[in-house]
Amino acid sequence: MAEHKFANITWHFGKPPKPADPLNDTFRQLDEADGLRQQGQLDRAQAICESLIGSYPDYFGALFTLGLIFIERRQFPQALGVLVRAVMLNPRSWRALTALSAVYLELEANEMAAATLEQAIAIQPDDPNVLVTLGTIYSEEREYELARKAFRRAYELDSGLIEAAVGLGTCCSHLGEYGEAAAVFEGLLKRDIRPLGILHELTLIPPSYLSVDLADELSRVTRDDEEQSEFENSLEFVKAAILDRTGRHEEAWRTVAPANRQLFDALQSELRQQEEVEAANLAQLGKRKSIEVCRESPEGPQTISLF
């Protein structure tokens, strides 16, 4: 029997190829969309997901992936809509619940974010990253006991998770548990982890609880991802706090005053830029042509202009 090849497809006369399995094709498209999302090709990924949802409105995987795409685009209202639908379809998906809580957090709905994360943790209690997010939410709400519980559990699960350690130490400090706070922060210093935020937190702990020389630790700090000017300014604030706690108040003031001035100038510059953008938007609005509309009135036809 003759065999023909075309476009890398081989078949025999009399034996046509089997029709494609719609289910397998759907899975393939979703996998392709998620791969494109991870590669940053959000337009193509979104188009595939929306096409799948158009054909299968209750397709959980497509809704969830589309929600992640909207999050990456920082389109949080759109993300909220699709993720709520996804969670309604699969309320046991802790990943969807975690993503939904992140959206609530961005929309400043902290109570909803915390409640949603609690549901995720009830399903998946041993994910340290979820616990850190929950601890962060409770910290922002000044619920330090609940935050400490979440951070401590995350730290027990993954002692290498710096966010968990910093969160735990900060909560302990707020609660007056200075011994535990100092132990956590100094443990990070011993591992050669010393971002400025840790040293700043240590300046808030009474000296009797500390066994490290903060000035020496400050001299060993290196810049991470911060801009040079931002890093140097933060460095001066921490340096001033260290000087002040050792009684060198005048030197501390001479250190902090220029840093304050630099911060004030930066904020003023940002405010001026915002005002310029708003002024440009208003000017653009003023250039729009008016639309004349006639309406009837007791005095006869009147013309009004809408801008």
Side-chain angles (χ1 to χ4, degrees):
M1 185 176 292
E3 181 181 85
H4 291 260
K5 294 183 179 180
F6 178 74
N8 298 321
I9 300 176
T10 302
W11 74 92
H12 297 275
F13 287 131
K15 294 183 179 179
K18 294 181 180 180
D21 184 342
L23 188 60
N24 287 337
D25 186 56
T26 300
F27 288 151
R28 181 194 59 76
Q29 289 183 65
L30 182 61
D31 187 60
E32 179 186 1
D34 193 54
L36 290 169
R37 177 188 67 82
Q38 295 180 45
Q39 296 168 21
Q41 299 183 49
L42 301 183
D43 288 339
R44 291 177 59 194
Q46 181 173 337
I48 294 173
C49 288
E50 290 175 342
S51 175
L52 287 171
I53 294 168
S55 301
Y56 309 99
D58 293 337
Y59 189 1
F60 166 81
L63 288 165
F64 174 59
T65 304
L66 183 59
L68 297 181
I69 292 168
F70 282 138
I71 289 174
E72 293 190 35
R73 290 185 180 278
R74 302 193 64 78
Q75 295 175 342
F76 299 113
Q78 294 91 324
L80 178 64
V82 295
L83 287 172
V84 165
R85 286 174 59 192
V87 168
M88 290 176 65
L89 290 166
N90 185 1
R92 296 289 299 172
S93 172
W94 65 271
R95 288 187 175 87
L97 287 164
T98 302
L100 179 58
S101 72
V103 173
Y104 281 132
L105 193 58
E106 290 289 347
L107 295 174
E108 299 183 357
N110 285 12
E111 289 186 9
M112 289 296 295
T116 306
L117 266 187
E118 292 282 11
Q119 294 178 53
I121 291 170
I123 299 166
Q124 183 72 15
D126 294 333
D127 188 307
N129 292 297
V130 174
L131 288 162
V132 165
T133 303
L134 181 63
T136 302
I137 295 171
Y138 281 136
S139 291
E140 291 181 358
E141 294 295 305
R142 293 182 170 83
E143 297 281 358
Y144 294 119
E145 283 285 3
L146 294 173
R148 178 171 64 171
K149 180 181 177 182
F151 284 128
R152 176 176 285 130
R153 179 57 180 155
Y155 190 55
E156 290 171 352
L157 291 167
D158 184 358
S159 60
L161 194 58
I162 298 174
E163 294 86 351
V166 173
L168 175 59
T170 302
C171 288
C172 289
S173 182
H174 280 297
L175 293 168
E177 302 289 343
Y178 298 122
E180 185 175 359
V184 171
F185 289 134
E186 290 184 359
L188 291 174
L189 296 178
K190 290 175 182 177
R191 292 159 54 188
D192 205 28
I193 300 171
R194 51 177 57 78
L196 280 173
I198 291 177
L199 294 180
H200 172 70
E201 290 294 335
L202 283 169
T203 65
L204 305 177
I205 297 175
S208 59
Y209 289 92
L210 304 182
S211 61
V212 296
D213 183 339
L214 293 182
D216 178 62
E217 294 293 341
L218 185 64
S219 68
R220 298 162 62 188
V221 170
T222 57
R223 181 166 65 93
D224 293 326
D225 298 327
E226 291 181 293
E227 294 290 338
Q228 183 66 30
S229 59
E230 181 181 345
F231 171 77
E232 290 178 354
N233 203 48
S234 300
L235 191 70
E236 292 301 294
F237 277 110
V238 176
K239 180 180 178 182
I242 294 173
L243 290 169
D244 186 64
R245 69 187 279 128
T246 56
R248 298 159 66 179
H249 307 301
E250 186 176 347
E251 191 176 350
W253 174 252
R254 289 200 303 269
T255 301
V256 79
N260 262 328
R261 168 54 60 181
Q262 185 176 349
L263 180 61
F264 176 78
D265 290 343
L267 291 174
Q268 286 292 97
S269 176
E270 183 178 341
L271 181 60
R272 283 194 296 271
Q273 290 176 5
Q274 292 176 353
E275 290 173 345
E276 289 172 0
V277 170
E278 291 174 1
N281 290 338
L282 288 173
Q284 188 66 30
L285 183 63
K287 292 179 181 179
R288 293 181 180 176
K289 294 181 179 179
S290 63
I291 302 173
E292 293 188 347
V293 179
C294 291
R295 71 175 183 179
E296 294 294 332
S297 73
E299 294 79 18
Q302 292 184 341
T303 300
I304 60 174
S305 296
L306 302 176
F307 293 89

